[in-house]
């Protein structure tokens, strides 16, 4: 769906109302998109069908978790397949623009602002659809990730202090350094200093996040063995003990020899296909060739330096008012509940609440079509749903979101009154 634009018959006053409506729409759609991104960090699913159940020595869940923790693989290369189906509504590209803005990136480069090769914006594409990645690593100072697209390729290379992003489709290059990246909060990279690395891209990235969820509210077992990318592996199964979570189970396929996570599977409590699917289809633990991490900007490529892009991103921009309001609201972010039933809540400061179809016209109908109207002791509001993360936005501007059911959100809002 294209952005709402005024037609030739719209008066100046009506045009101003539409612009104000778009800003208010973004204020409410953005929190849902934020939680959609957060869902991708909870777990993943198998990229390929397993080929056999190898006969491996018995291990306990505790031993398998310890094996993952002790894994110290410094060198590897391979191909990773990612499939993500959060069940987000088709916003015709609006959602990718919102996620790009939230990532802190300076823009797509198409309007002359920022670079199409900026990894902080480019890698947010991984939160939806199907993607194939080539990955390589040689210690903490050399990593490469390439996103293979239909007619183009995007590469993020970290070699020493240099960080390069290259988008072959636009022939644009983004250059930064580890030092530049650490100076700006939220702009992390491979080895902690590379822009965009806060977006999970490999099974280990997702495993690190999923294992943080293990506590007294969690059941952890060994669910047999598997073979992934030609390697023998154990299955670690993580499940919520609590009712009310939308998470069904997370399965991590752990390489029997190295302890490296090879594949993740997250299935929703509602059943059906996996929500996220991430796994190696090919993997090698041999040292990659040093030339893998070499990069020289192609002739004629537009090169954007990271410090310059950062200054533009930090400067106020026309049309970014809604993002600024959201940032202020999230300063008061709180977490209620525990374990898998944790719910993030904050006040957007939008006392007018979500516009209704009668009050907001087309805008109200547009937003309302993506959610369910609910009522409770808190008043009334709208629940926006994905297959994993749900968000309740009350009519007085408060947001409750988490990997929990609609009923759990309503109870949390009632308890807060």
């Amino acid at each position: 769906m294209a952005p709402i634009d005024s037609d030739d018959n719209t008066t100046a006053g009506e045009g101003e109302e539409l612009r104000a409506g778009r800003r208010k729409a973004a204020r409410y759609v953005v929190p849902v998109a934020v939680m959609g991104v957060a869902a991708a960090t909870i777990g993943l699913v198998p990229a390929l069908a397993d080929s056999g159940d190898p006969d491996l020595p018995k291990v306990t869940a505790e031993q398998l978790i310890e094996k993952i923790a002790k894994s110290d693989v410094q060198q590897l290369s391979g191909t990773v397949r990612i499939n993500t189906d959060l069940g987000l509504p088709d916003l015709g590209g609006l959602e990718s623009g919102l996620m790009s803005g939230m990532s802190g990136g300076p823009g797509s480069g198409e309007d002359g602002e920022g670079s199409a090769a900026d990894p902080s914006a480019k890698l947010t594409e991984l939160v939806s659809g199907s993607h194939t990645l080539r990955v390589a690593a040689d210690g903490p100072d050399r990593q490469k990730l390439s996103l293979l697209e239909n007619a183009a390729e995007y590469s993020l290379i970290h070699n020493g202090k240099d960080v390069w992003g290259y988008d072959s489709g636009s022939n644009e290059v983004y250059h930064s350094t580890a030092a530049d990246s650490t100076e700006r909060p939220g702009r992390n990279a491979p080895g902690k200093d590379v822009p965009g690395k806060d977006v999970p891209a490999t099974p280990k990235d997702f495993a690190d996040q999923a294992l943080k969820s293990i506590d007294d509210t969690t059941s952890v077992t060994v669910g047999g063995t598997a073979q992934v990318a030609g390697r023998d592996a154990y299955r670690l199964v993580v499940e919520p003990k609590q009712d009310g979570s939308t998470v069904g189970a997370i399965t991590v396929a752990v390489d029997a020899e190295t302890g490296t996570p090879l594949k993740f599977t997250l299935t929703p409590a509602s059943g059906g296909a996996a929500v996220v699917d991430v796994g190696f289809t090919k993997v090698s633990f041999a040292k990659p060739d040093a030339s893998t991490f070499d990069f020289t900007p192609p002739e004629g490529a537009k090169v954007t330096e990271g410090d310059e892009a950062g200054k533009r991103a930090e400067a106020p921009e026309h049309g970014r008012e809604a993002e600024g309001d959201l940032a202020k609201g999230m300063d008061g972010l709180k977490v209620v509940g525990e374990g898998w039933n944790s719910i993030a809540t904050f006040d957007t400061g939008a006392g007018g609440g979500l516009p209704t179809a009668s009050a907001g016209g087309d805008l109200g109908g547009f937003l309302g079509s993506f959610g369910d109207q609910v009522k409770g002791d808190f008043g009334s509001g709208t629940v926006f749903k994905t297959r994993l993360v749900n968000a309740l936005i009350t009519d007085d501007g408060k947001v409750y979101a988490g990997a929990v059911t609609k009923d759990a959100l309503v109870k949390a809002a009632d308890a807060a009154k």
Side-chain angles (χ1 to χ4, degrees), residues 117 144-147 153-157 164-168 295:
K144 181 176 181 178
L145 181 153
S146 296
L147 172 60
E153 179 175 324
Y154 175 79
S155 292
L156 176 62
I157 305 105
W164 298 96
Y166 175 59
D167 179 47
S168 67
F295 180 79

Side-chain angles (χ1 to χ4, degrees), residues 2 13 36 63 70 97 158 190 208 221 240 297 329 379 389 409:
Q63 289 171 328
K70 288 183 176 180
H158 175 211
D208 289 343
T221 58
V389 175
L409 293 175

Side-chain angles (χ1 to χ4, degrees), residues 173-188:
V173 174
Y174 175 94
H175 176 247
S176 185
T177 67
D180 289 340
S181 302
T182 55
E183 289 171 4
R184 293 195 303 277
R187 302 178 67 80
N188 301 323

Side-chain angles (χ1 to χ4, degrees), residues 86-106:
L86 292 171
L88 291 169
D90 182 6
L91 300 180
L94 175 60
E95 70 275 21
S96 62
L98 290 170
M99 291 176 183
S100 172
M102 290 183 297
S103 69

Side-chain angles (χ1 to χ4, degrees), residues 17-29:
E17 290 178 2
L18 282 173
R19 285 191 291 274
R22 286 199 296 272
R23 290 195 293 270
K24 196 163 188 179
R27 177 177 298 164
Y28 289 103
V29 176

